[in-house]
Amino acid sequence: MSEKDTKASTQNTEMSTKYDPTAIENGRYNEWLQEGVFRPSGDKKAKPFSIVLPPPNVTGKLHLGHAWDTTLQDMIIRKKRMEGYDTLWLPGMDHAGIATQAKVEAKLREQGISRYDLGREKFVEKVWEWKDTFAATIKEQWAKLGLSLDYERERFTLDKGLSKAVRRVFVDLYNKGLIYRGEYIINWDPQARTALSDIEVIHKDDKGAFYHVKYPFTDGTKFNGNDYIEIATTRPETMMGDTAVAVNPSDERYKSIVGKKVLVPLVNREVPIIADQYVDPEEGTGMVKITPAHDPNDFKVGNRHNLERINTMNPDATMNEKAGKYQGMDRFEARKAMVKDLQDQGLILSIEPIVHSVGHSERTGVQVEARLSTQWFVKMKPLAEQAVKNQDTDDKVSFFPPRFEETFTQWMDNVHDWVISRQLWWGHQIPAWYNKDTGETYVGMEAPKDAENWEQDPDVLDTWFSSALWPFSTMGWPDDTDDMKRYFPTDTLVTGYDIIFFWVSRMIFQSLEFTHRRPFKDVLLHGLIRDSQGRKMSKSLGNGIDPMDVIDKYGADALRWFLSVGGTPGQDLKFSYDKMDSAWNFINKIWNASRYVIMNLDGIEKPKLPDKSEWQLSDKWILSRLNTTISEVSELFDKYNFGEADRKLYDFIWNDFCDWYIEMSKEALTGDNEKLKKNTQNVLAYVLDKILRLLQPIMPFVTEYLWQKMPHEGKSLVTAEYPVSNQQFDNPTAEHEMQSLIDLIKAVRNIRNEANAPLSSPIDMLVQTENPTLKQIFETNRDYIDRFCHTQELTIGDKVNAPKLSMSAVITDATIYVPLAELVDLNEEKDRVQKDIDKFESEVVRSTKKLANTRFVDNAPEAVVNEERQKKDDYQSKLDAAKDRLQQVTSEL
């Protein structure tokens, strides 16, 4: 570090007495960007580590779920960057096909126009304008969250390079026979007027009815005394497309009428009664109407029996010319009109109200229609089999939590062909052309040379088709780029468990098919963010939280801490402002501790730990605890167990460093021993430096600010080295000795509290212990005991004469007496000691039972069993001491 850098890092130590996130975070992100600290290091000797950001849809602002998702990624990439990896975190956004088009169309509807009024070219221009607006908003939000993204590699799913990758995949799958075009029943969104895949359909309970309708025989046949059969349907509006009635071939009730014909009401079409295994004899009457153009199961039945397909609806779910007099009506209006006509004609037997599950479009919310349509499909079976088989190889994708691997494989085992065409204008237009004269189909990377004789398919591809290529298309595939060679496969994908089917699965099978590698090594799946009552956040409930509003109030670091500490892999997370208050309070604690250290460094320019021979007990203890914390936090981070890692950090920072070591340091800093003072300053600076480094991935803004205030080397904490454990610091003996001191101090504070004796009043204190090591610890550290307990006279020995009026406390291998003659009531002291006896007895009983359990002793790790034995001995020792004290108090009454 140059002399200039050193001075810059130490000259201004003025700090406010309260943490102000706005002041700390303002401008810092731009400084990081200008310094280029988020870019890959370019060090070819360093091990590469890459993450591609799950691209948010350009449909609006980011929500709390995005904040959670990106915070976890940022934590991972920041830690790896500090550990010396050549890190790439590649950002980007998704054009989001139907979702974005639906938003823009809704905006146009408010102006009284539709996309058809504008035409395709003008409409797409409008969508690009929308995209540019919301992309800018999203980037502002990324900045506010502090995401360490490499913007030089930012991608968009409609980029030229990504579009090339999409065409290559389509053409190759088509040439392999894995993409085909055919007429099938698909899910249809009548508002967006496009096909939907199965997983874009959300099922909700709707009120409906079973309409029991008469279908008369054409030849006067009598059945059960009637000249008609009874058919129950929930959708009378589709009756005009009926082409058969079906029964199960094994159903004895209907064998006599199979082959007979009945009239479809309202249209009076003759249709046969057929036998097909699809029909469940136990459901309803055991007879169903077959409408091949309006039901996926009926479509299959129709194929088996060569039935006509009669589509009675337009793309917008109004009735077409095949619906006769109902032509032009909305589907639900037509239902009402048809039911009234059936009633007028005496053809309704009954109407039975029901609540049933009905599919709705995930994007527009309207009820989905099953519609006969010519679409493009991906043949999924061979791709799915390859993906499942790969999970048994070294190139498998590891799921966190592991239970989601079964979710993935089960879906792959039962996957249906994927309908990939969408009747939209926003997206990747399908690279297929049809000859205007011959109807011949051409599929290719570019248009046919005689383009004037061909017409391109007007449909676009499902947005998930391009998203499925994200991990490698963003690296430049299908070209053999340097990024592809160095950073693919990526290392970790972080996303919600709710899109395993939508996205994770598709990335896996597409990557295996086209790169012959997994797309990522690990996939970390988190849950949903819910409100404090556990409810899903939604507009209807009015319980949504804007993460930017949270940042404005508490700061990005506090939000990031909440998102990090509160989550468990695979589980949902409840948001509450109480938790945000706690997060802010923790950072304020760090701020005040850092302020104390920084203000007491007296111009130290390069902190250096004193020689080990000069370490005090508190120094040995804090460095040992720091070492343990570094090891545990790093290991938990690498297992994606961030919540537990954060709790370890919290405990070390709040309890060990702030409440104990800093308090103990005041003795040296205010004393006359200059050598001891200098040593303590260096240990304080060293430990705080390591704390800030450990915290940097989680709360980057405040740690950068504090680190810059301290003596430091380097431009930014972002690229500083992450702490590693140092075996020389491990000191179980110091930890044990210090714990004994802490136990003693806590016990005395509890006594003061119970006796209402303020800390400012000096007390006499007697410590009885027959443990020579413990006695030596207390004797050596009398200064600490005097400072923290404010003693007037301190007696330590194996035999002490406790005054009649005193209070006591039992710790491991010692009993503490505090004479408080004017405050102590012996009866109250007796009751208090009895409570201690009850507590210690219950622990001894619990531990004894546990150790008597052979399953525990035989199966638990030896260290765990030994720890339990030590606990039992400890509680027994405390119990014996408490009983002795009770006997003493009782004799004095």
Side-chain angles (χ1 to χ4, degrees):
M1 181 169 66
S2 69
E3 185 179 346
K4 182 180 177 183
D5 287 341
T6 303
K7 288 179 180 176
S9 68
T10 58
Q11 63 185 190
N12 180 14
T13 58
E14 289 299 316
M15 292 172 61
S16 65
T17 56
K18 187 177 179 183
Y19 166 59
D20 178 1
T22 303
I24 300 309
E25 295 172 10
N26 188 36
R28 176 61 65 186
Y29 194 76
N30 284 334
E31 290 178 17
W32 284 327
L33 293 180
Q34 289 165 11
E35 292 166 0
V37 292
F38 298 160
R39 293 197 294 264
S41 67
D43 182 358
K44 298 302 179 185
K45 295 179 182 178
K47 189 176 179 181
F49 186 95
S50 61
I51 295 176
V52 289
L53 180 84
N57 295 345
V58 286
T59 50
K61 299 176 181 178
L62 302 182
H63 52 65
L64 262 181
H66 288 117
W68 190 14
D69 192 86
T70 53
T71 293
L72 297 183
Q73 292 170 71
D74 197 30
M75 286 161 49
I76 294 167
I77 208 80
R78 282 179 179 272
K79 178 173 181 285
K80 292 297 181 182
R81 186 183 290 119
M82 295 178 75
E83 288 176 330
Y85 286 80
D86 176 25
T87 55
L88 167 62
W89 189 16
L90 191 150
M93 299 179 205
D94 197 321
H95 68 280
I98 187 173
T100 306
Q101 180 158 324
K103 291 275 189 181
V104 177
E105 288 199 76
K107 187 178 177 184
L108 291 176
R109 277 197 299 273
E110 292 173 3
Q111 302 167 21
I113 56 176
S114 74
R115 59 167 156 152
Y116 302 102
D117 296 325
L118 293 176
R120 186 166 191 148
E121 188 176 334
K122 291 288 185 185
F123 174 76
V124 170
E125 285 178 11
K126 290 285 184 186
V127 188
W128 274 107
E129 289 173 11
W130 173 283
K131 177 264 176 187
D132 291 342
T133 298
F134 282 93
T137 300
I138 288 168
K139 289 181 76 167
E140 288 172 6
Q141 292 177 305
W142 284 346
K144 211 165 179 180
L145 281 163
L147 307 185
S148 58
L149 297 157
D150 178 15
Y151 290 102
E152 291 183 1
R153 286 175 168 83
E154 184 183 348
R155 308 305 297 268
F156 181 57
T157 47
L158 287 177
D159 281 352
K160 186 177 179 181
L162 271 67
S163 295
K164 177 182 176 182
V166 168
R167 292 196 305 276
R168 169 59 63 85
V169 167
F170 187 96
V171 171
D172 285 2
L173 288 176
Y174 178 81
N175 290 335
K176 291 176 184 177
L178 293 175
I179 280 183
Y180 63 93
R181 191 170 187 245
E183 189 177 47
Y184 288 88
I185 287 284
I186 46 88
N187 302 300
W188 183 261
D189 181 328
Q191 180 171 306
R193 300 189 199 179
T194 183
L196 302 173
S197 65
D198 290 343
I199 51 180
E200 290 173 304
V201 177
I202 300 171
H203 285 83
K204 302 176 184 177
D205 285 344
D206 281 353
K207 289 181 179 179
F210 266 127
Y211 300 91
H212 294 260
V213 184
K214 296 178 182 178
Y215 278 54
F217 286 103
T218 59
D219 59 1
T221 297
K222 295 287 185 181
F223 181 73
N224 292 337
N226 299 314
D227 60 358
Y228 60 83
I229 57 173
E230 180 182 339
I231 296 294
T233 178
T234 59
R235 308 198 63 215
E237 66 272 20
T238 65
M239 287 172 55
M240 310 295 273
D242 290 357
T243 54
V245 170
V247 299
N248 192 288
S250 64
D251 195 332
E252 296 291 336
R253 295 173 295 174
Y254 302 126
K255 281 198 170 179
S256 64
I257 60 171
V258 171
K260 296 286 185 179
K261 291 187 176 180
V262 292
L263 285 176
V264 177
L266 302 179
V267 71
N268 290 329
R269 180 187 304 116
E270 286 190 11
V271 299
I273 299 175
I274 61 174
D276 194 278
Q277 290 289 348
Y278 156 66
V279 184
D280 183 356
E282 304 298 322
E283 188 173 330
T285 62
M287 303 180 99
V288 295
K289 73 187 194 72
I290 302 299
T291 318
H294 289 282
D295 182 275
N297 292 311
D298 291 6
F299 177 79
K300 294 174 185 176
V301 174
N303 286 350
R304 288 194 288 270
H305 295 269
N306 250 348
L307 298 177
E308 185 183 0
R309 302 165 185 163
I310 303 173
N311 188 349
T312 65
M313 284 189 199
N314 295 311
D316 62 354
T318 57
M319 309 308 291
N320 65 21
E321 71 282 356
K322 293 182 180 176
K325 63 180 279 191
Y326 308 103
Q327 182 178 357
M329 287 186 181
D330 172 78
R331 54 184 165 166
F332 300 121
E333 291 174 9
R335 179 186 298 180
K336 292 176 184 176
M338 289 181 183
V339 169
K340 184 179 185 304
D341 288 346
L342 288 168
Q343 288 173 321
D344 291 347
Q345 295 174 29
L347 294 172
I348 290 279
L349 290 163
S350 64
I351 299 175
E352 174 192 349
I354 60 167
V355 174
H356 58 154
S357 181
V358 178
H360 292 72
S361 169
E362 181 204 25
R363 300 302 186 186
T364 64
V366 301
Q367 188 170 309
V368 168
E369 279 294 330
R371 175 175 162 79
L372 184 66
S373 179
T374 300
Q375 301 288 342
W376 288 92
F377 295 83
V378 173
K379 194 179 291 183
M380 283 301 304
K381 187 177 180 183
L383 297 169
E385 287 175 347
Q386 181 177 233
V388 171
K389 186 178 179 182
N390 188 69
Q391 289 304 100
D392 293 326
T393 72
D394 291 340
D395 203 46
K396 67 174 287 188
V397 174
S398 298
F399 286 77
F400 295 86
R403 69 176 183 275
F404 285 112
E405 181 173 359
E406 186 177 352
T407 304
F408 162 73
T409 54
Q410 280 183 351
W411 188 72
M412 284 297 195
D413 286 338
N414 298 286
V415 74
H416 300 112
D417 284 0
W418 173 18
V419 55
I420 55 171
S421 46
R422 297 288 181 272
Q423 288 64 54
L424 304 171
W425 292 348
W426 173 246
H428 294 99
Q429 194 166 349
I430 290 173
W433 288 260
Y434 310 112
N435 190 286
K436 294 175 182 177
D437 296 325
T438 66
E440 174 192 352
T441 299
Y442 164 80
V443 171
M445 291 292 290
E446 306 296 339
K449 291 181 180 178
D450 54 335
E452 68 278 4
N453 297 321
W454 298 78
E455 186 175 1
Q456 186 173 2
D457 193 309
D459 291 352
V460 301
L461 288 162
D462 177 11
T463 191
W464 297 106
F465 191 90
S466 51
S467 300
L469 318 181
W470 189 250
F472 53 97
S473 65
T474 53
M475 300 288 182
W477 185 94
D479 297 334
D480 189 22
T481 64
D482 290 340
D483 279 358
M484 189 72 188
K485 292 173 186 173
R486 182 154 182 79
Y487 299 111
F488 184 84
T490 63
D491 287 271
T492 304
L493 173 76
V494 181
T495 192
Y497 62 62
D498 55 328
I499 58 171
I500 291 178
F501 312 136
F502 282 103
W503 192 43
V504 177
S505 301
R506 288 169 174 165
M507 282 190 287
I508 292 172
F509 72 68
Q510 291 285 44
S511 181
L512 291 171
E513 178 67 18
F514 289 98
T515 73
H516 312 295
R517 293 296 310 276
R518 60 189 173 187
F520 28 77
K521 296 172 186 174
D522 297 340
V523 53
L524 170 63
L525 295 153
H526 58 76
L528 305 174
I529 295 192
R530 300 183 179 274
D531 69 10
S532 57
Q533 299 175 45
R535 300 174 302 175
K536 188 174 180 179
M537 292 185 178
S538 67
K539 288 182 181 177
S540 60
L541 290 173
N543 61 348
I545 303 291
D546 186 336
M548 299 304 116
D549 291 343
V550 178
I551 291 174
D552 287 341
K553 184 175 181 180
Y554 294 95
D557 287 330
L559 176 59
R560 289 170 63 111
W561 175 259
F562 158 73
L563 294 170
S564 173
V565 75
T568 301
Q571 300 297 314
D572 292 347
L573 173 63
K574 289 182 183 179
F575 177 87
S576 77
Y577 284 105
D578 285 345
K579 292 176 182 176
M580 287 306 308
D581 288 336
S582 297
W584 186 91
N585 285 335
F586 178 47
I587 299 178
N588 194 53
K589 181 86 168 180
I590 296 165
W591 177 269
N592 287 326
S594 303
R595 182 174 181 272
Y596 166 80
V597 173
I598 292 165
M599 301 293 280
N600 280 284
L601 291 183
D602 292 346
I604 289 179
E605 293 187 350
K606 190 173 181 179
K608 181 183 178 183
L609 285 178
D611 189 83
K612 201 170 183 178
S613 62
E614 298 175 2
W615 293 358
Q616 304 296 302
L617 172 61
S618 58
D619 301 332
K620 296 174 187 175
W621 168 74
I622 197 66
L623 291 170
S624 184
R625 287 289 301 121
L626 171 66
N627 214 38
T628 301
T629 302
I630 290 170
S631 297
E632 290 177 341
V633 167
S634 191
E635 183 180 351
L636 288 164
F637 242 73
D638 290 342
K639 291 178 179 177
Y640 309 116
N641 197 341
F642 303 120
E644 191 57 36
D646 293 349
R647 282 183 278 278
K648 298 281 186 185
L649 269 173
Y650 181 96
D651 184 57
F652 173 72
I653 295 167
W654 193 293
N655 297 324
D656 297 343
F657 186 64
C658 295
D659 286 357
W660 290 104
Y661 187 75
I662 282 183
E663 289 304 313
M664 289 178 168
S665 73
K666 292 175 181 177
E667 187 74 20
L669 296 182
T670 57
D672 298 326
N673 187 331
E674 286 300 317
K675 180 69 172 174
L676 181 59
K677 178 180 179 180
K678 190 65 68 178
N679 287 350
T680 302
Q681 288 172 323
N682 277 286
V683 174
L684 278 167
Y686 180 88
V687 176
L688 178 57
D689 175 83
K690 294 296 183 282
I691 286 172
L692 296 176
R693 291 169 190 254
L694 288 168
L695 285 170
Q696 193 272 337
I698 311 164
M699 44 181 79
F701 289 103
V702 69
T703 53
E704 179 77 86
Y705 179 90
L706 295 170
W707 191 74
Q708 295 288 351
K709 284 284 186 182
M710 292 180 62
H712 64 272
E713 290 184 336
K715 267 187 183 179
S716 171
L717 185 57
V718 173
T719 50
E721 289 184 12
Y722 195 79
V724 293
S725 59
N726 184 338
Q727 285 187 333
Q728 293 184 350
F729 292 171
D730 287 334
N731 197 328
T733 301
E735 291 200 41
H736 171 72
E737 291 180 1
M738 189 68 188
Q739 192 59 52
S740 297
L741 272 178
I742 290 172
D743 288 347
L744 181 143
I745 294 164
K746 283 182 175 179
V748 174
R749 285 176 174 174
N750 287 338
I751 289 172
R752 279 183 176 275
N753 187 51
E754 288 184 34
N756 292 318
L759 281 171
S760 58
S761 60
I763 57 170
D764 292 341
M765 189 172 143
L766 299 92
V767 181
Q768 180 175 303
T769 178
E770 296 179 4
N771 182 324
T773 304
L774 194 59
K775 183 181 177 183
Q776 182 62 37
I777 292 169
F778 293 152
E779 288 286 2
T780 306
N781 293 281
R782 275 178 171 268
D783 288 347
Y784 285 140
I785 297 172
D786 288 342
R787 177 180 179 83
F788 282 91
C789 297
H790 197 180
T791 58
Q792 186 167 262
E793 183 175 339
L794 174 62
T795 304
I796 303 169
D798 52 2
K799 301 288 183 186
V800 298
N801 294 316
K804 182 176 180 181
L805 291 175
S806 64
M807 291 184 72
S808 66
V810 176
I811 62 173
T812 302
D813 286 345
T815 303
I816 303 155
Y817 302 97
V818 177
L820 296 167
E822 70 281 7
L823 295 173
V824 173
D825 182 312
L826 285 180
N827 285 308
E828 289 181 1
E829 174 70 351
K830 178 184 175 184
D831 291 341
R832 191 190 63 74
V833 175
Q834 184 60 56
K835 286 179 183 176
D836 280 348
I837 290 172
D838 294 341
K839 179 177 72 174
F840 296 144
E841 276 183 340
S842 67
E843 289 294 340
V844 170
V845 169
R846 181 200 60 77
S847 197
T848 301
K849 285 181 179 177
K850 194 168 186 178
L851 291 167
N853 184 340
T854 54
R855 288 179 61 187
F856 168 72
V857 175
D858 294 342
N859 297 319
E862 186 178 352
V864 174
V865 176
N866 288 337
E867 184 181 0
E868 193 60 44
R869 289 189 176 119
Q870 289 172 2
K871 282 183 183 178
K872 181 190 172 186
D873 292 343
D874 184 34
Y875 283 122
Q876 186 62 56
S877 172
K878 290 178 178 177
L879 176 62
D880 293 341
K883 284 181 175 178
D884 288 345
R885 174 60 177 162
L886 181 63
Q887 187 176 4
Q888 182 185 22
V889 171
T890 304
S891 67
E892 293 174 350
L893 281 170

